[in-house]
Amino acid sequence: MSVDAARRDLARLLGAGSVLPGDTAVYLSDETEGRGLRGRADAVALPETPDQAAAVVRWCNDHDVPVVPRGGGTGFAAGAVPLDGGVVLALERLDRVRSFDPLLWRACVEAGMRTAAVRTLAREGGLVFPPDPGAAEQSQIGGNVATNAGGPHAFKYGATGAWVTGIEAVVMPGEVVRVGGAVRKDVAGYDLRALLVGSEGTLGVITAVWLRLLPAPEAFLPVVAFYEGVVSGCSAIERVLGNGITAAALEFLDAGTLAAAGPSFPGGVPAGAGFLVLAEADGSLAEAQRLRAELEAVLAEDALGVVAPAGAAEVEALWRWRDGVSIAVSAQRGGKVSEDIVVPLDRLAEAVAETVAIGERHELPACSWGHAGDGNLHATFLVDPHDDEALGRAEAAAGELFALAAGLGGSISGEHGLGWVKRGRLGLQWSPEAVELHARIKQVFDPRNLLNPGKKTAG
Amino acid sequence: MSVDAARRDLARLLGAGSVLPGDTAVYLSDETEGRGLRGRADAVALPETPDQAAAVVRWCNDHDVPVVPRGGGTGFAAGAVPLDGGVVLALERLDRVRSFDPLLWRACVEAGMRTAAVRTLAREGGLVFPPDPGAAEQSQIGGNVATNAGGPHAFKYGATGAWVTGIEAVVMPGEVVRVGGAVRKDVAGYDLRALLVGSEGTLGVITAVWLRLLPAPEAFLPVVAFYEGVVSGCSAIERVLGNGITAAALEFLDAGTLAAAGPSFPGGVPAGAGFLVLAEADGSLAEAQRLRAELEAVLAEDALGVVAPAGAAEVEALWRWRDGVSIAVSAQRGGKVSEDIVVPLDRLAEAVAETVAIGERHELPACSWGHAGDGNLHATFLVDPHDDEALGRAEAAAGELFALAAGLGGSISGEHGLGWVKRGRLGLQWSPEAVELHARIKQVFDPRNLLNPGKKTAG
């Protein structure tokens, strides 16, 4: 099958305006571009309906052509990058709100809807869609579900999958199936819904999701505290849990991250600060105020300073700053290799310190930040993206990070998934028998290995 | 393989004191006994360690003998009943607390620990394990996970699976595997953890679970309201959501259930009441009081009466009464056929009314109660368990219930699972392609069909 024939066939299925050349740049990379990853595709298909998406999958199956599902392209694992040709199946035109029942706390939206638009929709109904991964303006809800995206508020509210009550997906050889729906409980079958959540486009192509929503909390009241270093900072984090405070978010920045992002911190960073903790209280105004006071008291011990932003504008500025941390870190050397390991909370200090030590061994500046309460670090090595030798060292350092996480009883991925960059690494944390089950589940859904091949491979 | 040889082999593996005769009555039935179901086994094995459990599974695999995992035997779907011989693998001696970190909100416990003991353990650490299915004194946490058990507070807190961060299980041909652990996030592999949750012993035998816990709310403040009938009662339920009140539980009883359980209601039932709503507010005392006041205001419209129990003793008495509803209904005729369908919340009134109508068509008294906020009904037909003809009519009526739930976009099971009583019915709510995936996942985990065979079958 020539590339021209592929585009001609797909254009016949979808209409000429729905098929783009395979070299359309915007579909060939994600956030791993800064570590040198860029793909190539034979064509880009832009279906407007689930049936069109199924037709593309069926055509790929019939012609033995790989299909790479793609949302907003904000991934950090190259999961949506077409690394070895095939058809990119971009979901962006499948972006309708199929139903929205604010009085019943639920919505059904198509996969290509931007995450920020989903959040806005909920807010307009007096509700909240709690998951808040970064890049919500660009990412799509289908991609969020396919990676089980997290974010700061996953600490209280869980990751994206916790809010998905149903999934419509195209499965091989090109059929639209639906599991779950506008229901809040369902234990009839094996949890195929949960299996598709986080499957990174390797088991099926998600075309729509039924979401559970929540009444919007009246107030969000963050507190920021600064510490000398990792030990005092991580002790403060454990004190929040130990005192039974149900924070909505519990974030951290280590010294290296603070060096990069501190200069833009609203209000300035106290001298000598080598660790930042950001906690947020939410709920009714009275409840959030009560929780914030508890947080302030508990975080104050050993702190170099505690800041509680006063008004809505200050709160927004704080979170906008927090959203920019990753970019501030990247700006140090132009690029970074950033992984998303998870450890049991009592091993967080060790993981933060060891990230820096691994960097030192590989002669790379290193830092970490992230979702402290969930034990989820963005452990990062700074690199010049044009320096292939340094990139190579960073990849080796990342390998040590994965071994560290697994060795501490954690996971090699808390948010990004395996994608391509962590393919074949699952054996670090799973036994051979579990890895074998993983591989055989893939065979059940995709016997010809055409759905996002090479991604999320276990062994 | 004779029954004697089986018992001899198993005794060699586990010790003679850990193998009981296959006719030991307590292992041969569950809550479906009242509809005529009682099994037979070749032997009952009582392993004390995961390795012993694995040895039993391996022996069964090697000798082509079915293995029926069993927790507390409180199921309503005959999922743990050995209907056609084989070895009952009872987990009750695997009941250790492996670790408990109250300051980190987590525990690791073995599968045979009683659910009530798990809840007590959490409480002693100032925490709560939120899932609260019925029969917690008898049920075991492993069985709760294997069925993804629900309960009243699943409305706010989700079902059992939402609190499980890791699972240790024996998989075929007799290997102990572990997925997840003491981590709050993990998107590295396909979600095998979620696949084992609710798999009813057909994919693996759960031997231990890592649980996430929460700081215990300071107060639980329920409100009960009475209505004339289904329409006004279901309107009140929808008003709770429509007003954005995050109740912890939102339960209902219809007229038939109220006739059975009303006489023991603490404080009495107002004349003319044909529907009861029980809502609960929780949180800090101030927050729970605020929410309860909102609930009282919203529920009062069209109500025949609203009751808010005053002290801890009254609250406890109310929930004890609620726990007894199922028994009060059973007592009407000595037995019942009770199913656990789910519908979208806006179809609840229809499902409640239709349950009675289906009963009338089959000349059976019918009623329903349950988890209104989750659209989860215990739709029930009353029968004399010695009247085979009536039992036959009740089974036919249950079939209509399942079709009703599927037709309304719901599920044939919100809590009990398919077990044996709903085997083969998944096609009512899933397309043939999804049912086929379900069957092939079973083949991946259990190629010889020895793990709880005949249960949770899809097609």
Side-chain angles (χ1 to χ4, degrees):
Chain A
M1 170 68 48
S2 76
V3 169
D4 286 348
R7 285 190 55 195
R8 195 186 54 227
D9 278 13
L10 291 170
R12 202 173 294 140
L13 289 171
L14 306 185
S18 297
V19 183
L20 298 178
D23 59 359
T24 309
V26 73
Y27 297 100
L28 301 181
S29 65
D30 68 3
E31 294 293 334
T32 58
E33 193 161 17
R35 55 204 275 186
L37 289 173
R38 168 160 280 276
R40 60 168 201 86
D42 298 324
V44 177
L46 298 157
E48 292 178 15
T49 66
D51 286 343
Q52 284 192 344
V56 172
V57 170
R58 184 170 288 279
W59 183 91
C60 288
N61 180 69
D62 292 348
H63 295 85
D64 210 31
V65 171
V67 53
V68 180
R70 185 178 176 91
T74 58
F76 281 85
V81 176
L83 285 159
D84 193 25
V87 172
V88 171
L89 180 54
L91 279 305
E92 65 199 55
R93 294 186 184 175
L94 265 161
D95 65 350
R96 291 184 313 130
V97 176
R98 290 199 189 159
S99 63
F100 178 43
D101 302 297
L103 299 181
L104 299 167
W105 305 357
R106 69 188 192 206
C108 178
V109 301
E110 290 183 337
M113 193 167 171
R114 303 273 170 188
T115 311
V118 174
R119 289 173 59 86
T120 301
L121 177 75
R123 202 158 46 233
E124 286 170 357
L127 303 171
V128 64
F129 175 64
D132 58 345
E137 294 294 336
Q138 191 186 338
S139 76
Q140 295 167 14
I141 187 67
N144 285 178
V145 173
T147 54
N148 198 11
H153 290 85
F155 177 60
K156 177 172 176 182
Y157 294 101
T160 299
W163 300 91
V164 177
T165 61
I167 290 182
E168 176 192 88
V170 177
V171 295
M172 283 294 181
E175 297 287 342
V176 179
V177 299
R178 167 186 161 175
V179 285
V183 290
R184 296 168 54 98
K185 268 174 156 179
D186 181 5
V187 297
Y190 297 140
D191 199 348
L192 295 200
R193 182 202 56 78
L195 203 52
L196 288 164
V197 169
S199 64
E200 303 182 47
T202 65
L203 301 182
V205 182
I206 295 170
T207 50
V209 290
W210 283 260
L211 301 175
R212 193 164 64 87
L213 306 168
L214 264 191
E218 192 181 0
F220 302 86
L221 302 180
V223 181
V224 175
F226 297 91
Y227 303 89
E228 198 178 353
V230 181
V231 172
S232 50
C234 287
S235 294
I237 289 161
E238 287 200 30
R239 278 201 306 278
V240 171
L241 279 84
N243 281 277
I245 307 175
T246 50
L250 190 50
E251 302 277 298
F252 85 100
L253 274 64
D254 81 344
T257 310
L258 206 48
S264 59
F265 180 77
V269 173
F275 201 93
L276 176 152
V277 174
L278 191 175
E280 187 167 79
D282 71 359
S284 65
L285 181 59
E287 179 66 5
Q289 285 172 335
R290 185 187 68 77
L291 283 167
R292 182 175 59 178
E294 288 188 16
L295 284 170
E296 288 186 71
V298 160
L299 292 174
E301 187 182 329
D302 295 330
L304 302 176
V306 178
V307 185
E314 283 86 352
V315 170
E316 202 183 313
L318 174 65
W319 280 109
R320 203 164 45 238
W321 169 80
R322 169 62 187 87
D323 284 346
V325 165
S326 178
I327 290 167
V329 170
S330 293
Q332 300 294 297
R333 297 245 168 159
K336 64 179 185 315
V337 168
S338 188
E339 301 299 351
D340 60 319
I341 59 172
V342 182
V343 295
L345 182 57
D346 45 328
R347 310 310 287 269
L348 179 64
E350 196 173 338
V352 171
E354 191 58 26
T355 296
V356 174
I358 290 171
E360 280 170 4
R361 287 202 292 279
H362 293 273
E363 296 174 29
L364 294 163
C367 64
S368 65
W369 71 94
H371 316 304
D374 283 329
N376 186 192
L377 295 70
H378 293 296
T380 301
F381 306 107
L382 305 181
V383 286
D384 172 349
H386 306 295
D387 182 347
D388 286 343
E389 189 273 332
L391 277 171
R393 277 184 283 128
E395 297 295 344
E400 290 188 33
L401 270 185
F402 301 142
L404 170 72
L408 292 175
S411 172
I412 61 175
S413 184
E415 296 198 315
H416 303 164
L418 295 187
W420 188 83
V421 305
K422 276 172 274 189
R423 71 194 182 287
R425 305 257 197 185
L426 195 56
L428 286 169
Q429 72 188 64
W430 280 12
S431 67
E433 293 81 8
V435 166
E436 175 67 21
L437 289 170
H438 193 279
R440 286 163 63 191
I441 287 170
K442 168 69 172 177
Q443 284 168 9
V444 162
F445 281 82
D446 183 22
R448 303 181 63 192
N449 194 29
L450 294 172
L451 276 173
N452 216 1
K455 314 289 176 57
K456 210 179 180 74
T457 55
Chain B
M1 169 67 47
S2 75
V3 168
D4 286 348
R7 284 189 57 194
R8 195 184 56 227
D9 279 11
L10 291 170
R12 202 174 293 139
L13 290 171
L14 306 186
S18 296
V19 183
L20 299 177
D23 58 358
T24 309
V26 72
Y27 297 101
L28 301 181
S29 64
D30 68 2
E31 294 293 335
T32 57
E33 193 162 16
R35 53 204 276 187
L37 289 173
R38 169 160 277 276
R40 60 169 199 87
D42 299 323
V44 178
L46 297 158
E48 291 178 13
T49 67
D51 286 344
Q52 285 192 344
V56 172
V57 170
R58 185 171 287 280
W59 183 90
C60 287
N61 181 70
D62 292 349
H63 295 84
D64 211 32
V65 172
V67 54
V68 180
R70 184 177 177 91
T74 58
F76 281 86
V81 176
L83 286 159
D84 194 25
V87 172
V88 171
L89 181 53
L91 280 304
E92 64 198 55
R93 294 187 183 175
L94 266 161
D95 64 351
R96 291 183 313 129
V97 177
R98 290 198 188 160
S99 63
F100 177 42
D101 302 297
L103 300 181
L104 298 167
W105 306 357
R106 69 189 192 204
C108 178
V109 302
E110 291 183 338
M113 193 167 170
R114 304 272 169 187
T115 311
V118 174
R119 290 173 59 87
T120 300
L121 177 76
R123 201 158 47 232
E124 287 170 357
L127 303 172
V128 65
F129 176 65
D132 59 345
E137 293 294 337
Q138 190 185 339
S139 75
Q140 296 168 14
I141 187 66
N144 285 177
V145 173
T147 53
N148 197 10
H153 291 85
F155 177 60
K156 177 173 175 182
Y157 294 102
T160 300
W163 301 90
V164 177
T165 62
I167 290 181
E168 176 191 271
V170 177
V171 296
M172 282 295 180
E175 297 286 342
V176 179
V177 299
R178 168 184 160 176
V179 287
V183 289
R184 296 169 53 99
K185 269 174 155 178
D186 182 3
V187 298
Y190 299 141
D191 198 349
L192 294 200
R193 183 202 55 78
L195 203 52
L196 287 165
V197 169
S199 63
E200 304 182 47
T202 64
L203 301 182
V205 182
I206 295 169
T207 50
V209 290
W210 283 260
L211 301 176
R212 194 165 64 86
L213 305 169
L214 263 192
E218 190 180 2
F220 302 87
L221 303 179
V223 180
V224 175
F226 296 92
Y227 302 89
E228 196 178 355
V230 181
V231 173
S232 50
C234 287
S235 294
I237 288 162
E238 287 201 29
R239 279 201 306 277
V240 172
L241 279 85
N243 280 278
I245 307 174
T246 50
L250 191 49
E251 302 276 299
F252 85 100
L253 273 65
D254 82 342
T257 311
L258 206 48
S264 59
F265 180 77
V269 173
F275 201 92
L276 175 153
V277 174
L278 190 175
E280 186 167 78
D282 72 358
S284 65
L285 181 58
E287 179 66 5
Q289 286 172 335
R290 186 187 67 78
L291 283 167
R292 182 176 60 180
E294 287 188 17
L295 284 170
E296 288 186 71
V298 160
L299 291 175
E301 189 182 328
D302 295 331
L304 302 175
V306 178
V307 184
E314 282 85 354
V315 169
E316 202 183 312
L318 173 65
W319 280 110
R320 202 164 47 238
W321 169 81
R322 169 63 187 87
D323 284 346
V325 164
S326 178
I327 290 167
V329 169
S330 292
Q332 300 294 296
R333 297 246 168 157
K336 63 180 187 314
V337 168
S338 187
E339 301 298 351
D340 59 320
I341 59 171
V342 181
V343 296
L345 182 56
D346 45 327
R347 312 308 289 270
L348 180 63
E350 195 172 339
V352 171
E354 191 58 26
T355 297
V356 174
I358 291 171
E360 280 171 3
R361 287 201 292 278
H362 293 273
E363 296 176 26
L364 295 163
C367 63
S368 65
W369 71 93
H371 317 303
D374 283 329
N376 186 192
L377 294 71
H378 293 298
T380 301
F381 305 106
L382 305 181
V383 286
D384 173 349
H386 306 294
D387 182 346
D388 287 343
E389 190 273 332
L391 277 171
R393 276 183 282 131
E395 298 294 344
E400 289 189 33
L401 271 185
F402 302 141
L404 169 73
L408 292 176
S411 171
I412 60 175
S413 183
E415 296 197 316
H416 303 164
L418 295 187
W420 187 82
V421 305
K422 276 172 273 190
R423 70 194 183 286
R425 305 258 197 184
L426 195 56
L428 285 169
Q429 71 187 65
W430 281 11
S431 66
E433 293 82 7
V435 167
E436 175 67 20
L437 289 170
H438 193 280
R440 286 164 63 192
I441 287 170
K442 168 69 172 177
Q443 285 167 10
V444 161
F445 281 80
D446 184 21
R448 303 180 63 193
N449 194 30
L450 294 172
L451 276 172
N452 215 2
K455 314 288 176 57
K456 209 178 180 78
T457 55

